[in-house]
Amino acid sequence: MGHQEMCESQCHRTSNGGPCPPAPTLILLLLPLSFLSSSLPPLAQGAIHIPKDLSQPPVLTKILTSYTAFSREDIYLPCEASGHPTPSFRWVKDGKPFGAEQKGSGTLRVDEDEPLNSYQGYYRCYASNTLGTAMTQTVQVIVEPQPVLLKQQKVHMKAYEGESIILSCNPPNSSTPPYIHWMDKRMVHIKQSERVMVGLDGNLYFSNVIKSDNRDDYICNAQYAAARTILPDTAVTLTVMPSNDVAHGRKPHLFRPIGSHTNVLALREQSITLECIPKGLPTPKIEWEKKYGNLDETSGQVDNYNRWLHFKSITQYDDGEYECRAINTHGSTSHSFIITVEAAPYWVKEPQSLMYAPGETVRLDCQAEGNPTPSITWSINGQPLTEVDDDPRRTVSRGVFKLTDVEFADTAIYQCEASNKHGSILLNTYLYVVELPPQILSSDGVVYRVTEGRQTELHCTSFGSPQPHVTWEGEDMVPLLSDPRISLLTNGTLKLSNVSHGDGGVYTCSVENTNISITAHLQVFNRTMIVIKPQDMRTLRGSSALLDCGFYKDPQLIHYQIVWRRDGHKLQESPPDDKFTIFENGTLKVTDVQSGDTAPYSCEVITDLDHVTASGSITVVARPDPPRNLSLSEVDGNSLSLSWIPGHTHNSPITEFIVEGREEQHSEEGKWRWEEWKRVPGDFNHMQLTLHPYCTYHFRVIAVNELGYSDPSKASDIHSTPPAVPGRNPTGVRSESTDPGTLIITWNEMHKRLHNGQGFQYKVSWRQAMGQSVYWNHSYIRSPPFLVNETGSYTAFEIKVQAVNSLGEGPEPEPEIGHSGEDKPEEPPSIVAVTVMNSTVRVRWNEAQRVRGLLLGYKIYIRRLGTQGARGRRSLRKLHHKEMEQEGRLEQVNEKDEGKKLLVVVVHGMKTSEEVTGLQLFSLYKLTVTAFNSKGESPPSPEHHFSTPEGAPGPPASLRFESPSEKSLILYWTHPAEPNGILLGYVVQYQQELESSDAHHLSHMEFFIDPSSTHIVLEPLDPNSHYIFQVIARTGAGDGPPITRRGATLLDGVPPSNITIIPSNTSLNLSWVPGERHRNHGFHIHYLQKSAGGQWVESEVVNSTQGFHSLTGLQPGTRYHLKIMHKNYTLWGAETWTVGQGPSEVTSGFATQGWLIGLISAVVLLVLILLILCFIKRSKGGKYAVKGKEDKEVDSEVRPMKDETFGEYSDADEKRSDSQPSLCGDSKLGSDDSLAEYGDSVDIQFNEDGSFIGQYSGRGPVPHGNESSGPASPVNAVPPPPIAPSMSTILNRPS
């Protein structure tokens, strides 16, 4: 209903338009007429015109209840009522008048002269005045004497430990049952538990007794609350005697109730308790369930250690069958309760007390329910309707009393009473026939505020007799009731449903046929909405959860509140570090969620006018709790049943259980370990286990769900199995003989847990296989191995090993075949045939005899004896047989005698042929074959000689060239490392590279060279082009693969003309970039000190390929002029200053001593030169010992002449180059390996793969102006400026 705002007070408009009379007394006058409406709308503060002498009927203000009286002080029957005139009271007892009529108060008190028993009976009170008579329900007063406990003898009870027993309590009977308390003599309650508890009948039940139950002061105390009396019974002594049967246990039975089922009749809204008290050992547990239903959907609550199922206020929905089940490890028992819920009468619809005008029709609805269905009777002023004269205006039908055309004489109190076998209820309804002028009681100008989509009510409560009729109009004067959303209630209230913004405005309520009216103002706001609802979340335990609650509200509604609830209970906001945090946008953060946080959550946004709610949930998931209460049952020899109770699943179902066992008898305590035995599905809680004899076990169980593994359960009780004969024999029975003449029998030792008893050992049996003897040799041993002597070499035996303990032997084992120790093979295999196919030879031989062991395979030995025919180069081709090496069949043995190489091919298994590849062509070989076993090889077979045919040669070992002029090149090559026959000569090919990619534009030249030649001069060549050079060796079998290089001629050199100068104190460092394809050119640098008397000084010869030069011995702070001359003209010139202050006169001092300055300068210069030499040596890769390298690699028999091999570099050189020397480790000025000693040529070398190695040589200084291929002497070198480009860059650069 919409919120109301009271505007300024206004009077009701009346016909005379007069002022408002005072009202407070009249408002008070209305209070006794509260029967008109249970809740009135806002009243106007103007007057209500009601006659001041208006009478009021009697209204009962106190309710009677039945009770039991134990003394005169307990007799008290109140009967009070309001009314005008003041009511008078009378009583009826057992259907007869009782006592005198009373005025003002009807409360009945005891008369001292009357005996107490005379007050027992059924009472009803009547209150009457001129408007009618009201009456109470009938109540019963029971009179009883004070309960007294007769003196009894002491009770002594005995029970054996583990037995069940009942201590009885028999208090005096009473209509008000007592509360029973079992206490000791110090008035301390006896502690109750699952094992010990007080039943509903007051007896003390022990499911099983233990030693601590032994005491002599069990006292039953009966508390009669109504009689204000506690009666202690005689103390009971319980003696518990020891027993040896405690360990056996007993199946559960029930103390209470007895039989298989109990019928229970319950009345609606009464309290009822179902009780199951079990006995047994161990103490049984009780489980409750509702048959054909869900216990959680009832109002029943399990209480008192699960022994009670309590219904605080039972309903008809609790009707049905319930079962309690008592369970322990020895079994279970159950009992059923069939609850039938009936009901005493209760009101469904009550008649209202109202005012009526003469001539109106009265309808009083009196509807009651109950089980059985109650009957309805009517009375007028306390007199049954059957005893009142008939009136044709009056009809009664099924609880409806109807009276037409009422008169003033019909003013009375009408009683409606509903009764069934369980009781009765009564209502007094007042019917007042009167005439009063119409008035509007609701306030004028009330502002109603409501949000769209909701409903509101505009009040217009009227007063008068007959009842006034009111009408409502809107601002547009359109009939409101034509809108199906708008309805007019009987009390004049206008009800609007599904309100929209168009409904806002002013509404007028008027009384028909008068000018009495009020106005109501309706304001409509946007409704509040939750646009982002909380979601249903599954959250990992220990993490945080966020529940959204995004909402929208009308901007005009300033005040609002966000309320979060969990399970319907409001959550209090807390600081950010606490459990719950509610953010400004409505989001709820729950930190460190635990299992208890699993619940439905609701977000409620509350404004002044409306509230909206959205719900979500948090389901906290986690690893399951460990299983509990592991028990071992159904023990039968070496098998038993393991059962457990699953732990909490934490909202993630258990998928499986892992059963683990630990054997503790046959291992040390520190080495005990848990082993997985089996996995069972998650809906199982037991497992049958088969155990090893003579072992001691513990078991535990682990639960698994989608979140992971639970912690292991507590270990089960220890369990030991009895001994037995071995159930199996050892595995892996075999022979591991190593020495000839002995047989070693061994096997895999059996684990101690498989010994099955004491005195365990192994029975070893053996006999010669296929021998004449059928008898077995036996011996006993505690552990392997077992040795048998004098068995011959590699003789077959039948062997078997059997497990034995003190109780007997294990099953009969199956024999295995084993052999005595091996010896080397005695005879070699004989070679049958050798077939040569180019560089491959196929060898076949006969199977070896007298191997004296297990044949593992054969070895083929092949030795190269040399080349065929004339003596030639003796370099051997490296035998890289990748495939044979991968198969493990290739061994290579280097022998020093005559540089020969031995090839060993291993053939595994029983093969008697093999192909050997990768032999060198045009060579002589010898071949032998041996057989081998694990002890060694046989003697070799007789030697077999064979030769390989001539083949095409390999490529020349190296190719280099020199450029003596701009149009000529000299190619140098070396003989092939693998000639593979007699060389017939070399084919030299070269072709010019042109800018066009068309092959037809490439010039091609070819020459055939005598085999003794290793160089050729090629001219004339185009200095602007690059060329491709190839050299191919040829034998009678054909041409070999070529060696290919790319190169170009070198151009004439000139002095540099673009020089960079870096000055220092006493020197000038000059650097330049040499031409990429230019030869070295020697030149001089001329420099002049720009001072009086200076002369031009000429430097030593500087090489253009050097890239830098340092002019030393200069004066600091001095200006110099520098130039380079070429062909009698100045090619380059420049002026510069040295760093520092110029020379000045110093009168005296240590620093003026010239000899000291010169000495220091000389030392610094010497150190600088040494550092430059070291740097050059490291940057050039060490010594330029090209000649020495080649000498190391070339075969002595085919080494060419010195002139032919100058600067040669082969593949082997690259692979076995000398390591880099240490810094200046063997640097010498003027060394034989210095660059400065080489002559006029540039030595350019390549590897076989085409990579470039440039080495420069020179033979002494170059005269000024002459071209030289050697660099300048490094004596004057300084830390290098830009270095000259490498020759590979020059030769590979396109023209």
Side-chain angles (χ1 to χ4, degrees):
M1 186 175 293
H3 178 72
Q4 302 176 6
E5 290 183 355
M6 300 299 296
C7 297
E8 183 180 355
S9 301
Q10 297 181 6
C11 296
H12 289 283
R13 300 183 184 94
T14 60
S15 57
N16 56 18
C20 298
T25 58
L26 296 178
I27 294 177
L28 293 176
L29 182 62
L30 282 178
L31 295 179
L33 302 178
S34 59
F35 56 84
L36 292 177
S37 177
S38 59
S39 177
L40 289 176
L43 300 179
Q45 295 182 0
I48 300 174
H49 297 286
I50 300 175
K52 294 184 179 180
D53 58 350
L54 185 66
S55 299
Q56 302 172 35
V59 177
L60 295 171
T61 57
K62 289 191 176 181
I63 300 175
L64 292 177
T65 57
S66 298
Y67 65 92
T68 300
F70 293 91
S71 64
R72 293 180 180 277
E73 291 76 12
D74 295 334
I75 301 298
Y76 176 70
L77 293 172
C79 185
E80 303 291 342
S82 61
H84 180 73
T86 302
S88 60
F89 300 87
R90 61 187 176 88
W91 284 90
V92 173
K93 175 176 177 287
D94 296 330
K96 299 178 180 180
F98 181 77
E101 186 172 309
Q102 305 176 50
K103 196 74 172 177
S105 174
T107 298
L108 182 63
R109 299 184 183 277
V110 69
D111 188 347
E112 296 295 335
D113 297 333
E114 295 290 335
L116 182 61
N117 288 340
S118 65
Y119 286 96
Q120 180 163 311
Y122 293 89
Y123 292 82
R124 173 171 277 175
C125 176
Y126 295 84
S128 305
N129 69 4
T130 56
L131 295 184
T133 300
M135 67 180 183
T136 66
Q137 286 185 236
T138 300
V139 296
Q140 182 184 15
V141 176
I142 301 173
V143 177
E144 287 185 3
Q146 285 282 354
V148 176
L149 189 64
L150 300 177
K151 186 175 182 180
Q152 298 180 3
Q153 295 182 350
K154 290 186 177 181
V155 179
H156 295 273
M157 301 191 72
K158 295 182 179 180
Y160 285 101
E161 188 177 2
E163 286 185 340
S164 305
I165 194 171
I166 305 173
L167 303 187
S168 299
C169 181
N170 300 304
N173 293 328
S174 174
S175 58
T176 58
Y179 298 100
I180 303 300
H181 306 274
W182 281 88
M183 310 174 79
D184 60 14
K185 58 188 176 184
R186 294 175 297 174
M187 300 302 290
V188 176
H189 281 85
I190 301 298
K191 185 177 180 181
Q192 298 188 50
S193 64
E194 288 184 336
R195 189 180 60 85
V196 182
M197 70 167 294
V198 178
L200 292 175
D201 60 357
N203 294 334
L204 185 62
Y205 293 89
F206 293 82
S207 290
N208 51 80
V209 295
I210 58 178
K211 292 180 181 179
S212 60
D213 295 330
N214 198 86
R215 61 191 304 163
D216 60 358
D217 57 350
Y218 289 97
I219 303 173
C220 170
N221 295 272
Q223 178 189 7
Y224 296 88
R228 300 176 294 279
T229 300
I230 297 178
L231 299 178
D233 203 349
T234 304
V236 179
T237 299
L238 175 59
T239 303
V240 179
M241 298 174 291
S243 172
N244 295 326
D245 295 333
V246 175
H248 296 160
R250 296 192 317 280
K251 181 181 177 181
H253 294 281
L254 292 177
F255 281 123
R256 283 173 53 88
I258 59 175
S260 62
H261 67 278
T262 301
N263 292 313
V264 179
L265 177 62
L267 292 183
R268 174 181 173 269
E269 296 184 353
Q270 281 190 345
S271 173
I272 186 173
T273 301
L274 306 183
E275 179 180 59
C276 273
I277 303 178
K279 58 182 176 181
L281 185 68
T283 302
K285 297 185 178 299
I286 293 293
E287 296 178 355
W288 291 89
E289 68 173 353
K290 183 179 183 182
K291 292 292 190 68
Y292 319 112
N294 189 345
L295 187 63
D296 294 335
E297 296 176 357
T298 69
S299 62
Q301 297 293 326
V302 177
D303 195 9
N304 205 11
Y305 307 101
N306 279 27
R307 271 47 179 168
W308 288 357
L309 180 60
H310 181 67
F311 297 86
K312 185 176 181 180
S313 179
I314 199 165
T315 67
Q316 291 176 338
Y317 298 106
D318 298 324
D319 193 284
E321 183 178 355
Y322 296 80
E323 182 183 78
C324 74
R325 180 174 295 275
I327 305 171
N328 70 5
T329 55
H330 298 285
S332 64
T333 186
S334 63
H335 187 89
S336 295
F337 297 87
I338 302 172
I339 296 181
T340 302
V341 179
E342 296 187 355
Y346 58 93
W347 294 119
V348 175
K349 189 173 185 182
E350 301 179 10
Q352 300 296 318
S353 296
L354 296 173
M355 283 185 173
Y356 294 91
E360 290 188 307
T361 297
V362 176
R363 178 188 173 96
L364 302 179
D365 285 333
C366 185
Q367 303 293 333
E369 293 289 348
N371 188 8
T373 302
S375 60
I376 304 295
T377 59
W378 288 89
S379 300
I380 301 177
N381 290 329
Q383 186 176 5
L385 199 60
T386 57
E387 300 178 5
V388 178
D389 295 336
D390 291 336
D391 190 335
R393 299 178 298 121
R394 185 171 61 229
T395 58
V396 176
S397 175
R398 302 182 62 180
V400 178
F401 182 94
K402 190 173 182 181
L403 183 62
T404 61
D405 193 19
V406 295
E407 303 171 352
F408 291 108
D410 294 323
T411 297
I413 298 177
Y414 295 76
Q415 285 83 26
C416 171
E417 186 170 18
S419 305
N420 67 8
K421 67 178 182 179
H422 301 300
S424 63
I425 53 176
L426 182 141
L427 283 175
N428 289 285
T429 304
Y430 177 53
L431 175 60
Y432 195 0
V433 181
V434 68
E435 281 187 331
L436 293 173
Q439 297 185 50
I440 295 178
L441 302 181
S442 300
S443 298
D444 189 16
V446 176
V447 177
Y448 296 85
R449 303 198 306 164
V450 68
T451 55
E452 61 175 333
R454 300 178 69 85
Q455 71 176 27
T456 187
E457 293 181 355
L458 309 184
H459 297 294
C460 185
T461 302
S462 59
F463 179 81
S465 182
Q467 179 69 34
H469 295 280
V470 299
T471 59
W472 284 88
E473 292 180 346
E475 291 178 325
D476 52 5
M477 307 302 290
V478 175
L480 296 176
L481 297 182
S482 61
D483 191 334
R485 300 180 298 113
I486 301 176
S487 59
L488 181 62
L489 304 184
T490 56
N491 63 355
T493 297
L494 186 67
K495 182 177 180 180
L496 290 84
S497 301
N498 193 20
V499 176
S500 64
H501 286 283
D503 296 328
V506 178
Y507 292 81
T508 302
C509 174
S510 304
V511 178
E512 288 184 352
N513 302 320
T514 70
N515 60 351
I516 301 174
S517 64
I518 62 170
T519 59
H521 300 267
L522 180 62
Q523 295 178 352
V524 183
F525 298 85
N526 294 326
R527 63 182 173 184
T528 306
M529 295 183 295
I530 294 180
V531 294
I532 303 178
K533 299 180 180 180
Q535 61 273 40
D536 295 323
M537 300 184 60
R538 286 173 61 87
T539 307
L540 204 60
R541 183 172 60 189
S543 61
S544 296
L546 292 174
L547 292 176
D548 296 324
C549 184
F551 63 93
Y552 165 80
K553 66 173 184 61
D554 193 299
Q556 299 180 65
L557 300 177
I558 305 301
H559 304 289
Y560 70 94
Q561 182 182 9
I562 300 173
V563 176
W564 278 93
R565 288 183 171 85
R566 180 179 69 181
D567 260 340
H569 301 290
K570 183 178 179 180
L571 297 177
Q572 299 298 327
E573 295 188 44
S574 56
D577 296 335
D578 288 348
K579 184 71 174 178
F580 301 104
T581 304
I582 300 175
F583 298 101
E584 291 184 2
N585 64 352
T587 298
L588 172 67
K589 179 180 181 182
V590 185
T591 59
D592 188 25
V593 295
Q594 298 298 321
S595 298
D597 295 320
T598 296
Y601 288 77
S602 64
C603 163
E604 183 178 17
V605 181
I606 304 172
T607 66
D608 295 335
L609 300 182
D610 63 351
H611 64 92
V612 287
T613 303
S615 298
S617 66
I618 294 178
T619 302
V620 181
V621 295
R623 297 183 302 117
D625 288 345
R628 51 191 173 85
N629 295 357
L630 271 65
S631 63
L632 307 176
S633 60
E634 301 178 14
V635 178
D636 182 14
N638 296 326
S639 69
L640 54 80
S641 178
L642 173 66
S643 60
W644 59 88
I645 298 177
H648 198 293
T649 63
H650 295 295
N651 302 305
S652 179
I654 294 177
T655 57
E656 62 179 349
F657 291 99
I658 302 174
V659 178
E660 295 183 338
R662 185 176 71 192
E663 204 286 319
E664 300 176 355
Q665 180 170 331
H666 300 297
S667 58
E668 300 176 5
E669 183 174 349
K671 297 181 180 179
W672 291 347
R673 62 187 182 91
W674 291 98
E675 298 177 351
E676 181 178 322
W677 278 53
K678 193 175 181 181
R679 297 186 178 220
V680 296
D683 54 354
F684 278 62
N685 67 340
H686 64 277
M687 175 185 173
Q688 195 70 25
L689 301 177
T690 301
L691 313 177
H692 293 294
Y694 196 58
C695 291
T696 300
Y697 293 96
H698 272 111
F699 300 99
R700 69 182 187 185
V701 183
I702 299 173
V704 183
N705 65 8
E706 64 177 357
L707 278 305
Y709 293 74
S710 73
D711 294 334
S713 67
K714 292 182 179 179
S716 68
D717 295 337
I718 195 168
H719 178 76
S720 298
T721 55
V725 296
R728 66 181 69 176
N729 291 312
T731 60
V733 177
R734 61 197 181 276
S735 65
E736 292 184 352
S737 308
T738 55
D739 297 327
T742 60
L743 172 66
I744 298 177
I745 303 172
T746 189
W747 57 90
N748 299 330
E749 275 202 89
M750 295 174 63
H751 194 276
K752 290 183 179 180
R753 71 168 67 114
L754 301 178
H755 291 180
N756 292 4
Q758 296 180 342
F760 182 83
Q761 55 186 340
Y762 299 98
K763 179 182 178 182
V764 184
S765 304
W766 72 96
R767 68 181 180 187
Q768 187 170 344
M770 307 300 291
Q772 297 179 355
S773 175
V774 296
Y775 298 103
W776 289 88
N777 301 297
H778 304 292
S779 184
Y780 291 89
I781 190 171
R782 291 191 174 277
S783 62
F786 180 75
L787 176 65
V788 182
N789 292 314
E790 299 178 1
T791 59
S793 297
Y794 204 65
T795 304
F797 285 86
E798 288 184 276
I799 55 177
K800 59 184 181 180
V801 181
Q802 188 175 21
V804 180
N805 65 15
S806 60
L807 297 181
E809 298 180 348
E812 182 66 26
E814 289 293 328
E816 304 287 342
I817 298 297
H819 292 81
S820 57
E822 300 183 8
D823 204 348
K824 290 183 180 180
E826 281 188 322
E827 296 182 0
S830 58
I831 301 177
V832 175
V834 174
T835 304
V836 179
M837 299 163 288
N838 292 326
S839 61
T840 300
V841 60
R842 182 173 183 82
V843 185
R844 291 194 298 140
W845 59 90
N846 293 323
E847 185 176 345
Q849 304 298 319
R850 300 181 59 81
V851 180
R852 298 196 297 181
L854 178 63
L855 178 65
L856 299 180
Y858 300 89
K859 292 185 180 181
I860 304 173
Y861 293 86
I862 301 178
R863 186 185 302 276
R864 183 172 181 269
L865 302 178
T867 59
Q868 299 184 43
R871 176 180 176 86
R873 185 183 178 97
R874 295 184 180 178
S875 63
L876 295 176
R877 179 182 180 183
K878 297 180 181 180
L879 301 177
H880 294 295
H881 308 309
K882 185 174 182 181
E883 293 180 359
M884 298 177 69
E885 286 179 345
Q886 290 177 345
E887 297 174 5
R889 300 187 296 111
L890 184 63
E891 297 180 3
Q892 198 173 73
V893 182
N894 292 325
E895 296 191 354
K896 295 181 180 180
D897 52 332
E898 300 182 0
K900 302 299 186 297
K901 292 185 178 179
L902 180 65
L903 176 67
V904 180
V905 180
V906 180
V907 182
H908 294 281
M910 305 301 292
K911 290 177 60 177
T912 56
S913 66
E914 182 68 14
E915 284 189 358
V916 182
T917 61
L919 300 181
Q920 192 167 334
L921 296 172
F922 202 63
S923 300
L924 296 175
Y925 288 93
K926 67 178 181 179
L927 178 149
T928 59
V929 180
T930 64
F932 69 95
N933 60 18
S934 63
K935 283 296 184 178
E937 296 182 51
S938 70
S941 66
E943 293 183 352
H944 186 92
H945 293 261
F946 66 94
S947 61
T948 55
E950 185 177 28
S958 65
L959 175 63
R960 63 184 179 86
F961 51 81
E962 296 178 355
S963 177
S965 68
E966 291 186 351
K967 296 186 178 181
S968 63
L969 278 178
I970 303 176
L971 294 183
Y972 294 93
W973 62 89
T974 55
H975 295 296
E978 298 176 355
N980 295 339
I982 299 174
L983 287 177
L984 301 180
Y986 296 94
V987 177
V988 178
Q989 301 173 343
Y990 73 95
Q991 61 185 9
Q992 183 181 5
E993 285 187 356
L994 301 179
E995 293 183 359
S996 172
S997 60
D998 191 347
H1000 295 290
H1001 292 84
L1002 297 179
S1003 60
H1004 181 81
M1005 299 293 291
E1006 181 172 312
F1007 305 94
F1008 185 77
I1009 307 300
D1010 183 83
S1012 60
S1013 298
T1014 58
H1015 70 277
I1016 185 174
V1017 178
L1018 301 177
E1019 58 181 354
L1021 301 179
D1022 185 356
N1024 296 320
S1025 298
H1026 279 70
Y1027 291 84
I1028 302 296
F1029 302 97
Q1030 289 186 344
V1031 179
I1032 303 170
R1034 178 178 293 174
T1035 64
D1039 292 347
I1043 181 171
T1044 303
R1045 299 293 180 263
R1046 178 180 181 273
T1049 60
L1050 296 181
L1051 305 178
D1052 294 336
V1054 294
S1057 61
N1058 185 10
I1059 298 176
T1060 300
I1061 303 174
I1062 301 176
S1064 62
N1065 282 341
T1066 60
S1067 64
L1068 295 173
N1069 295 322
L1070 286 69
S1071 62
W1072 60 92
V1073 178
E1076 290 186 353
R1077 284 184 54 198
H1078 288 81
R1079 283 187 184 80
N1080 184 38
H1081 180 82
F1083 63 94
H1084 294 279
I1085 300 174
H1086 300 264
Y1087 57 95
L1088 171 67
Q1089 182 177 348
K1090 301 289 286 187
S1091 61
Q1095 296 184 352
W1096 288 95
V1097 179
E1098 184 181 81
S1099 71
E1100 69 272 18
V1101 176
V1102 180
N1103 294 324
S1104 63
T1105 58
Q1106 187 172 326
F1108 65 93
H1109 184 73
S1110 179
L1111 299 177
T1112 59
L1114 307 181
Q1115 295 295 325
T1118 304
R1119 183 180 181 187
Y1120 285 90
H1121 182 77
L1122 291 83
K1123 66 179 180 178
I1124 295 177
M1125 303 295 294
H1126 181 62
K1127 295 182 180 181
N1128 299 323
Y1129 71 90
T1130 301
L1131 180 65
W1132 171 82
E1135 290 189 1
T1136 186
W1137 288 79
T1138 53
V1139 179
Q1141 295 182 352
S1144 59
E1145 262 192 58
V1146 180
T1147 56
S1148 64
F1150 182 81
T1152 61
Q1153 303 299 320
W1155 62 271
L1156 182 59
I1157 295 174
L1159 178 62
I1160 293 175
S1161 299
V1163 172
V1164 170
L1165 180 62
L1166 181 61
V1167 172
L1168 182 64
I1169 291 173
L1170 289 175
L1171 290 175
I1172 292 173
L1173 288 175
C1174 292
F1175 185 86
I1176 293 174
K1177 189 170 183 64
R1178 290 182 65 85
S1179 65
K1180 293 297 184 178
K1183 292 184 178 181
Y1184 296 83
V1186 179
K1187 186 67 169 64
K1189 293 179 184 178
E1190 179 169 322
D1191 290 343
K1192 294 179 183 178
E1193 299 299 323
V1194 181
D1195 192 295
S1196 61
E1197 296 185 14
V1198 293
R1199 189 186 307 274
M1201 296 299 293
K1202 181 175 182 181
D1203 292 342
E1204 296 175 347
T1205 62
F1206 176 77
E1208 179 181 338
Y1209 191 84
S1210 67
D1211 289 345
D1213 296 335
E1214 185 176 1
K1215 296 176 182 176
R1216 293 189 294 269
S1217 61
D1218 292 343
S1219 61
Q1220 180 74 20
S1222 61
L1223 181 64
C1224 296
D1226 43 12
S1227 173
K1228 293 186 292 183
L1229 295 177
S1231 167
D1232 293 341
D1233 291 329
S1234 170
L1235 293 175
E1237 75 175 14
Y1238 291 94
D1240 298 337
S1241 65
V1242 177
D1243 189 0
I1244 307 169
Q1245 300 186 23
F1246 298 88
N1247 290 333
E1248 185 176 342
D1249 60 0
S1251 60
F1252 165 78
I1253 298 179
Q1255 299 188 4
Y1256 303 83
S1257 61
R1259 295 184 176 86
V1262 180
H1264 174 63
N1266 294 338
E1267 296 174 352
S1268 173
S1269 62
S1273 171
V1275 172
N1276 294 324
V1278 297
I1283 302 299
S1286 65
M1287 287 303 295
S1288 63
T1289 305
I1290 297 173
L1291 297 179
N1292 291 320
R1293 177 184 176 187
S1295 59

